[in-house]
Amino acid sequence: MSSYGAPTLVNVPRLNEMNAIQGIMSLLQHVDKGELKDLLDNEEQLNVIISDNDEVQKIAGYRDILMASNKSLAEHNLSQKPKLERNKQLLIDAHQNKALIQAEFEKNRTKLEAFSTQYSPDTTLALLQTSTAQAEEEAEKTADKFLDGEMNVEDFIQTFQSQKTLHHLRRIKTEKLTELLRSRRPSQYSYRF
């Protein structure tokens, strides 16, 4: 058996024709001409002499071993058919799944390219700066309402705190984006005066 559990192939030696011929010739040396003529006319008797030869019997024995080995190998191959079919189906499923994932990837890549052309970093920065200013204005309006007596203390604290938190978060994001854009641009403008 091989390391994979399959039967191994049997190497059968070839017929040594010279030994076979020498063995038959030594047997026929003691036969006279009349018996040789009778032997030539009797094919069955000639086949018996040939099949009794040691070399021919070895080959017949090897043939039986080879037939058994081939049968064992064929049975093993047939026993592997369910596993082969199962793995074949897994491969087909994996290929189909790969095609679906690739199609989804291409769709998402197309969306990403559309978004990246639609929203440049400069546009995003401008929108973020505008929303930061709006958040600050809303907080100032809330403070004015409180100072004018239009809001009680609890409502003012809750509203003003959430508006100022939003304003600070947007301001930090604006500053970070501005810093990021500046760090990328020096190489673009390094030769300008």
Side-chain angles (χ1 to χ4, degrees):
M1 291 242 167
S2 72
S3 61
Y4 297 109
T8 56
L9 294 175
V10 175
N11 291 326
V12 177
R14 296 187 61 191
L15 172 66
N16 188 336
E17 294 95 358
M18 290 308 287
N19 283 349
I21 292 172
Q22 285 176 355
I24 292 172
M25 290 300 283
S26 68
L27 182 68
L28 295 178
Q29 279 179 349
H30 306 292
V31 178
D32 64 14
K33 253 184 175 180
E35 289 175 333
L36 281 175
K37 188 169 172 55
D38 290 341
L39 191 60
L40 283 174
D41 292 337
N42 187 351
E43 190 174 320
E44 187 177 311
Q45 183 66 28
L46 191 59
N47 285 338
V48 168
I49 291 173
I50 291 172
S51 64
D52 283 345
N53 181 276
D54 288 342
E55 282 295 317
V56 173
Q57 285 183 351
K58 282 182 192 176
I59 293 301
Y62 287 137
R63 183 191 66 208
D64 293 340
I65 292 170
L66 188 59
M67 295 278 284
S69 173
N70 284 345
K71 181 180 178 188
S72 175
L73 189 57
E75 288 170 350
H76 175 75
N77 287 345
L78 287 174
S79 73
Q80 296 299 308
K81 188 175 181 182
K83 184 178 179 181
L84 176 67
E85 292 297 323
R86 185 174 53 253
N87 288 340
K88 183 179 171 184
Q89 188 59 48
L90 286 172
L91 180 62
I92 290 169
D93 294 345
H95 182 69
Q96 289 172 345
N97 191 30
K98 177 230 169 223
L100 291 173
I101 291 171
Q102 188 172 6
E104 184 70 21
F105 170 77
E106 291 299 327
K107 186 175 105 179
N108 288 338
R109 187 177 65 142
T110 303
K111 279 183 185 178
L112 180 63
E113 288 172 357
F115 283 137
S116 66
T117 58
Q118 184 179 1
Y119 298 108
S120 71
D122 290 329
T123 304
T124 304
L125 179 60
L127 291 172
L128 194 55
Q129 287 171 335
T130 303
S131 67
T132 302
Q134 285 175 346
E136 187 175 16
E137 286 178 26
E138 290 296 319
E140 287 177 13
K141 285 181 185 177
T142 301
D144 289 342
K145 282 183 183 179
F146 174 71
L147 292 174
D148 290 341
E150 296 175 17
M151 293 183 84
N152 65 29
V153 174
E154 291 171 8
D155 291 340
F156 167 72
I157 291 174
Q158 185 178 1
T159 306
F160 187 75
Q161 188 176 20
S162 66
Q163 288 173 337
K164 284 308 267 185
T165 301
L166 180 64
H167 167 256
H168 286 295
L169 286 174
R170 287 181 180 171
R171 191 180 77 210
I172 291 169
K173 288 178 184 179
T174 301
E175 290 170 359
K176 289 288 184 185
L177 185 56
T178 302
E179 183 180 312
L180 181 65
L181 291 175
R182 280 187 191 145
S183 69
R184 289 187 180 175
R185 289 188 183 152
S187 61
Q188 294 174 353
Y189 305 113
S190 60
Y191 297 108
R192 289 188 179 178
F193 293 103

